[in-house]
Amino acid sequence: MFRSTLLRWYERSRRDLPWRHTKDPYSIWVSEIMLQQTRVETVIPYYERFLARFPTVPSLAEASESEVLAMWSGLGYYRRARLLHQGVREVHVQYGGEVPTEPEKRRTLPGIGRYTNGAIGSIAFGKPEPLVDGNVLRVISRLNGLQASPRELEKSIWAICERLVVGKAPGDFNQALMELGATVCTPKTPQCPTCPVRKFCEANEQAAPLAYPPPKVKTPAKAVRLVALVVTRGARDNAEVWLTQGTLALFGGLLNLPMAEVVDAKSDECAAESFAASIVGRAKLHGPLGPVRHELSHRRLTVDVYTCSGRPKGEGRWVALKGLDEHGVSTLTRKLLGATSAQERAKAGPQSPPRPRRASKSPQPVHKPGPRKAAEGR
Ligand code: SF4
């Protein structure tokens, strides 16, 4: 009864989303990866552009990582894109381009966790495979009046979903649970009086929907101070900037300005001089421009930007400032380059340019590579 009531509501009320017009497992895989930790409205244009550029498994498998990251640029959490790319390559090589119908085989692919596996299995292949995301967890917790530690709660809810998904239209059923969580049983303002399944709901019976699930303890974002170096060459119309993939691990392989974290420098200027010397040797340094502030999922960045010319050392490449869109360049680097050119335009007015600063001969150990393992936020 609960199942059929929910399915009828979904049939009437579901939003018209582009990935709901297909049963192609590859397209559903792409949509599910993009939707992780990202709002539906944000994902729609990326999904459409990505599938227009890479419409099939072979087209994505044969693309370079930088092409894939360029199409993902701005969506954040770039590790998702790299894992999707690796997974699709494996499907191309091992399974002749066909996403396996067997859940055990799909689960071994890079980037396919339990949730994504259930989404592909139920939506694309119509199999009774459960899925639990944040929406489902909240809805089932409220419907059943469940409270437990996060780990226990998740375990119980997977078990409940395994039972519930068996029956007619498992893909629609899974999507209906998620849709209810996204549009009716929302985290802070659940619409209980008009909810299609209110008569089955324990939290509604108790008039206490917000008591479920128990709130999570949030880890506050860490403040990180950075210096960034804009090294350019060439005339204004053909100017190029030096970008690198290696300086910080915050951005999952995207191209960035050379950047370093300021750890214990007496001043950011000392850190900048030391860092610049390690990249371009003795060079005239201008700045700082900024500070520019940028939020990632678990970091609050404050960046001082310095400009200089010279011949950079180490891994990196020159990228035309006019062609940034063709490369996987991080949102932060685009923002810093935008701020730099805006401030330079302002300074080209009545004021004189900033006094050049010479990088010190002997770099001090005032910087270290940036923190690892976090992904870029939106
Ligand atoms: Fe959520 Fe309220 Fe519906 Fe229960 S009745 S599922 S708490 S919206």
Side-chain angles (χ1 to χ4, degrees):
M1 188 68 181
F2 163 74
R3 222 175 166 284
S4 54
T5 306
L6 184 65
L7 278 170
R8 275 199 305 276
W9 167 81
Y10 179 66
E11 189 60 36
R12 281 194 315 271
S13 314
R14 66 181 174 188
R15 291 168 293 174
D16 183 18
L17 302 173
W19 43 88
R20 288 184 175 159
H21 293 277
T22 181
K23 297 277 184 212
D24 170 41
Y26 163 70
S27 305
I28 288 162
W29 184 2
V30 170
S31 72
E32 291 298 339
I33 298 295
M34 287 188 168
L35 285 164
Q36 288 169 14
Q37 293 162 299
T38 310
R39 291 164 58 84
V40 163
E41 301 74 29
T42 307
V43 167
I44 290 172
Y46 280 93
Y47 171 81
E48 289 175 336
R49 278 199 298 269
F50 196 89
L51 282 186
R53 173 69 185 80
F54 308 117
T56 58
V57 165
S59 60
L60 181 57
E62 285 160 11
S64 69
E65 186 177 287
S66 67
E67 283 177 285
V68 175
L69 290 175
M71 293 305 294
W72 204 276
S73 181
L75 198 53
Y77 300 98
Y78 295 93
R79 189 164 177 269
R80 296 180 300 179
R82 290 205 314 279
L83 288 173
L84 170 67
H85 191 207
Q86 287 166 22
V88 166
R89 281 184 162 170
E90 212 166 302
V91 165
H92 187 48
V93 172
Q94 280 199 21
Y95 302 108
E98 300 289 329
V99 178
T101 53
E102 302 90 332
E104 306 77 29
K105 287 186 181 169
R106 287 195 308 270
R107 191 71 163 80
T108 64
L109 296 168
I112 296 200
R114 199 174 176 189
Y115 164 83
T116 308
N117 208 15
I120 298 172
S122 62
I123 300 169
F125 298 124
K127 294 194 165 197
E129 295 181 34
L131 58 77
V132 176
D133 71 349
N135 282 322
V136 173
L137 189 132
R138 183 173 59 257
V139 169
I140 298 290
S141 166
R142 287 174 177 173
L143 282 165
N144 293 277
L146 291 178
Q147 278 193 329
S149 68
R151 183 186 290 241
E152 284 303 311
L153 189 65
E154 201 177 320
K155 204 171 149 193
S156 309
I157 287 176
W158 273 103
I160 291 171
C161 287
E162 258 170 38
R163 293 195 297 274
L164 285 175
V165 75
V166 179
K168 188 184 157 200
D172 281 354
F173 176 75
N174 279 337
Q175 292 187 88
L177 275 179
M178 292 191 282
E179 188 79 349
L180 190 76
T183 61
V184 178
C185 191
T186 55
K188 290 183 182 156
T189 52
Q191 311 291 309
C192 300
T194 55
C195 175
V197 291
R198 61 189 176 280
K199 65 180 176 188
F200 304 97
C201 182
E202 177 64 28
N204 183 50
E205 181 75 20
Q206 295 173 12
L210 299 186
Y212 304 94
K216 277 189 187 164
V217 181
K218 269 196 177 177
T219 315
K222 184 185 167 199
V224 177
R225 184 137 201 131
L226 300 170
V227 290
L229 207 56
V230 180
V231 189
T232 53
R233 71 175 184 186
R236 181 171 290 245
D237 281 352
N238 299 310
E240 294 177 308
V241 63
W242 181 256
L243 299 179
T244 173
Q245 280 181 313
T247 320
L248 287 176
L250 288 166
F251 300 96
L254 287 179
L255 285 170
N256 269 297
L257 293 170
M259 277 184 255
E261 185 179 357
V262 179
V263 183
D264 54 3
K266 288 186 181 145
S267 77
D268 292 358
E269 286 181 6
C270 291
E273 287 179 355
S274 167
F275 181 52
S278 73
I279 301 282
V280 288
R282 288 163 61 80
K284 287 179 182 173
L285 207 58
H286 299 276
L289 309 174
V292 175
R293 299 185 200 287
H294 190 71
E295 300 262 339
L296 301 180
S297 48
H298 299 99
R299 300 280 190 281
R300 278 182 290 112
L301 307 182
T302 305
V303 191
D304 282 328
V305 190
Y306 292 80
T307 60
C308 68
S309 49
R311 289 192 183 169
K313 294 178 284 189
E315 280 189 23
R317 60 176 135 133
W318 293 106
V319 173
L321 279 167
K322 282 186 175 171
L324 293 179
D325 288 346
E326 292 150 32
H327 302 269
V329 178
S330 78
T331 307
L332 173 60
T333 284
R334 288 163 186 273
K335 193 172 177 179
L336 297 176
L337 289 171
T340 308
S341 59
Q343 290 203 25
E344 281 179 347
R345 276 198 304 277
K347 283 182 179 171
Q351 290 182 354
S352 53
R355 276 180 41 213
R357 189 174 296 281
R358 187 170 288 280
S360 57
K361 274 185 185 170
S362 311
Q364 303 296 309
V366 292
H367 60 84
K368 67 169 191 181
R372 305 192 75 83
K373 286 188 181 166
E376 186 181 11
R378 277 159 278 151

